[in-house]
């Protein structure tokens, strides 16, 4: 559970409304941006965060069993190694505490405005600034860094009658801890990364558990264990030991790229390991058949668990694979017409990744929203960090920066190099506006899509949220992560059109609103 933020956070009353840089969101990406800007000696920036704390998806996902499936020594900032991780794959509360500790250690909490829901960001060409409307009034900035993340908007299933369910219902990312599930009849919809962590916890607690599976996932053993006292001592006191361990995890994970992105035939050993895991953990032939995936491993995110299959085999757990046709006021009707009465439904159906509602609130140079631009072309960007038509805006965890095998924090840090360097270049050269050239973006995307053409994500025979409605994989990075690190090492001004401050019209002041407009229902950008 996350700790409350101390009184050091900024408040709208004490913060300037006009700053050089606004960062939206304070998960791993936004917080990292704040730390890096501060380390560069920059003070004229703010972080707008809709929650009451740092942490982003790690603050929000408090469901039972929530834990990382990337080892913690890699799933952490390289500039803030933590020798105190208690186990190889840390649970959510420990990760959240780590993120909070980074915000304190690097002294950036006073740059945060919490409970500040960003509703729109509109480019004003006259002033060459972004005007950002929030639940706490209007802010304006020369540069906006969007760090809202891909997993911020829960996706609710479009199932007939679900809104009329009268029992308890919540999404995995919005867990209702006040509702006691003990002994209850519960349905879990979905069998993705979140669900397979939730199901074992619920199986041990509820009276009856119905798990609704649309597609069986591939599941590998989870090599999770507590670190010994000797290891923890070594992480803390033996010079280089923790970095070496991190490097080992990194290299092991990178070997998967060959099979995932380049030659899917090399995924075979992993698929055999997953098949053996399944056979070892499930003895019942009918259940085995139901949980056997019908696509190549890696096509959807590979999951790791030692307790999911055993949970499915419990007498109080039913795996339903006949689909859902309707939710009634008190139960769920499957594809065979059978109704299962339930007290509660846990919706573990993932997030709006390629169709995030946050895109509708960002309006670029030609007045079109990011949603309209993406609707026409699919999510396309340049190095995951800039998008044509959106000047002076940088994106963290933007298009094609996701991973199927390793730590997103590594990708985020690569982007932080690039974006912070960009901000330095803008300042050094007295640049007023900067926008990635369409031809540079198009060329970049052609190369990315070409590379993805041979990947398991595109050819593995599955439907996944990695692919957008145009059939393009706009979420994943198509190669080794060190290749991304290389292309983001320095900001490449030559790929951008820029105008110097001296050539811009004189900026006009932005009106400061007198009251926040909490009540309207504009789209939220975070
Ligand atoms: O979501 P998902 P998630 N009716 O999209 C099913 C990260 N994460 O929250 O496969 C019935 O993976 C859907 O079925 P199908 C990680 O990046 C990380 O679990 O589409 N079912 C699927 O089974 C992950 O990828 C950690 O056929 C419906 C499930 O719901 C991302 O979060 C831990 C449905 C959704 O799975 C999202 O994971 C947890 C419908 N209408 C999560 N719609 C780490 O450890 C969807 N489904 C780092």
């Amino acid at each position: 559970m996350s700790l409350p933020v101390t009184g050091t956070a900024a408040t709208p009353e004490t913060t300037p409304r006009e700053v050089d840089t606004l960062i939206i969101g304070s998960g791993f990406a936004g917080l990292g941006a704040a730390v890096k800007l501060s380390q560069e000696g920059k003070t004229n920036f703010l972080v707008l965060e809709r929650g009451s704390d740092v942490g982003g998806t790690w603050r929000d996902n408090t469901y039972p069993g929530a834990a990382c499936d990337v080892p913690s020594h890699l799933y952490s900032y390289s500039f803030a190694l933590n020798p105190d991780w208690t186990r190889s794959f840390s649970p959510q509360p420990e990760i959240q505490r780590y993120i909070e500790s980074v915000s304190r250690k690097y002294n950036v909490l006073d740059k945060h405005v919490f409970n500040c829901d960003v509703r729109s960001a509109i480019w004003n060409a006259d002033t060459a600034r972004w005007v950002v409307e929030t639940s706490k009034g209007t802010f304006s900035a020369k540069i906006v860094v969007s760090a809202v993340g891909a997993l911020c908007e829960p996706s609710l299933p479009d199932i007939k009658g679900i809104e009329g369910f009268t029992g308890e219902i919540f999404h995995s990312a919005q867990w209702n801890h006040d509702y006691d599930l003990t002994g209850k009849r519960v349905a879990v919809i979905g069998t993705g990364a979140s669900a397979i962590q939730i199901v074992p916890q619920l199986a041990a607690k509820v009276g009856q558990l119905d798990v609704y599976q649309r597609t069986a996932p591939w599941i590998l053993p989870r090599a999770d264990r507590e670190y010994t006292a000797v290891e923890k001592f070594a992480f803390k006191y033996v010079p280089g030991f923790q970095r070496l361990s991190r490097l080992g995890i990194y290299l092991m994970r990178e070997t998967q790229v060959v099979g995932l992105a380049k030659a899917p035939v090399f995924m075979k050993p992993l698929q055999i390991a997953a098949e053996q895991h399944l056979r070892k953990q499930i003895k019942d032939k009918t259940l085995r058949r139901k949980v056997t995936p019908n696509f190549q491993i890696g096509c959807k995110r590979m999951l790791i668990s030692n307790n999911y299959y055993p949970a499915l085999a419990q007498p109080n757990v039913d795996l339903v694979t006949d689909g859902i046709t309707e939710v009634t006021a008190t139960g769920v009707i499957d594809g065979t017409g059978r109704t299962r009465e339930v007290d509660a439904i846990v919706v573990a159906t993932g997030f709006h990744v390629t169709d995030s509602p946050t895109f509708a609130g960002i309006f670029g140079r030609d007045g079109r929203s990011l949603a309209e631009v993406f609707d026409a072309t699919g999510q396309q960007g340049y190095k995951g960090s800039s998008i044509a038509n959106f000047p002076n805006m940088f994106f963290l965890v933007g298009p094609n920066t996701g991973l199927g095998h390793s730590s997103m924090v590594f990708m985020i840090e690569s982007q932080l190099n690039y974006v912070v360097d960009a901000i330095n270049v803008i300042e050094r050269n007295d640049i007023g506006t900067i926008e990635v050239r369409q031809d540079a973006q198009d060329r970049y995307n052609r190369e990315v899509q070409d590379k993805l053409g041979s990947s398991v994500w595109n050819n593995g025979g599955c439907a996944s949220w990695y692919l957008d409605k145009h059939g393009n994989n706009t979420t994943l990075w198509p190669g080794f992560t060190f290749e991304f690190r290389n292309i983001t090492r320095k900001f490449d001004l030559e790929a951008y059109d820029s105008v110097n401050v001296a050539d811009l019209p004189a900026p006009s002041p932005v009106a400061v609103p007198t009251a926040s407009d909490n009540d309207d229902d504009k789209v939220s950008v975070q």
Side-chain angles (χ1 to χ4, degrees), residues 501-515:
V501 170
D503 300 323
L504 292 172
S508 51
V510 175
V512 178
T514 51

Side-chain angles (χ1 to χ4, degrees), residues 58 63 67-70 75 151 157-159 171-172 189-195 197 212 214-215 300-301 324 348-351 463 465-466:
W58 288 106
Y63 60 76
C68 192
D69 54 17
V70 177
Y75 198 82
L151 306 178
D158 184 16
I159 298 172
H171 189 274
S172 52
I189 303 179
T191 53
S194 303
Q197 296 182 333
Y212 288 85
R214 191 164 68 177
T215 311
K300 287 162 103 75
R301 189 179 174 91
I324 300 173
T349 47
F351 299 85
W465 54 259
Y466 294 154

Side-chain angles (χ1 to χ4, degrees), residues 443-521:
R443 195 167 45 249
Y444 178 80
N445 278 280
R446 274 196 302 275
E447 284 169 16
V448 166
Q449 292 305 324
D450 274 358
K451 286 185 185 161
L452 284 163
S454 54
S455 73
V456 71
W457 307 302
N458 288 34
N459 303 294
C462 72
S464 78
W465 54 259
Y466 294 154
L467 308 179
D468 68 10
K469 66 172 189 177
H470 303 276
N472 291 323
N473 184 334
T474 55
T475 47
L476 294 184
W477 171 245
F480 295 101
T481 59
F482 53 76
E483 294 175 294
F484 188 70
R485 178 64 54 101
N486 278 340
I487 65 162
T488 49
R489 215 166 273 287
K490 286 204 91 50
F491 182 65
D492 44 352
L493 186 55
E494 62 281 5
Y496 290 74
D497 287 327
S498 61
V499 180
N500 274 25
V501 170
D503 300 323
L504 292 172
S508 51
V510 175
V512 178
T514 51
S516 62
D517 49 352
N518 274 314
D519 301 334
D520 67 16
D521 56 357

Side-chain angles (χ1 to χ4, degrees), residues 222 280 283 310 423 430:
R222 185 179 178 89
K280 193 168 148 210
K283 300 294 169 214
I423 292 172
D430 219 12

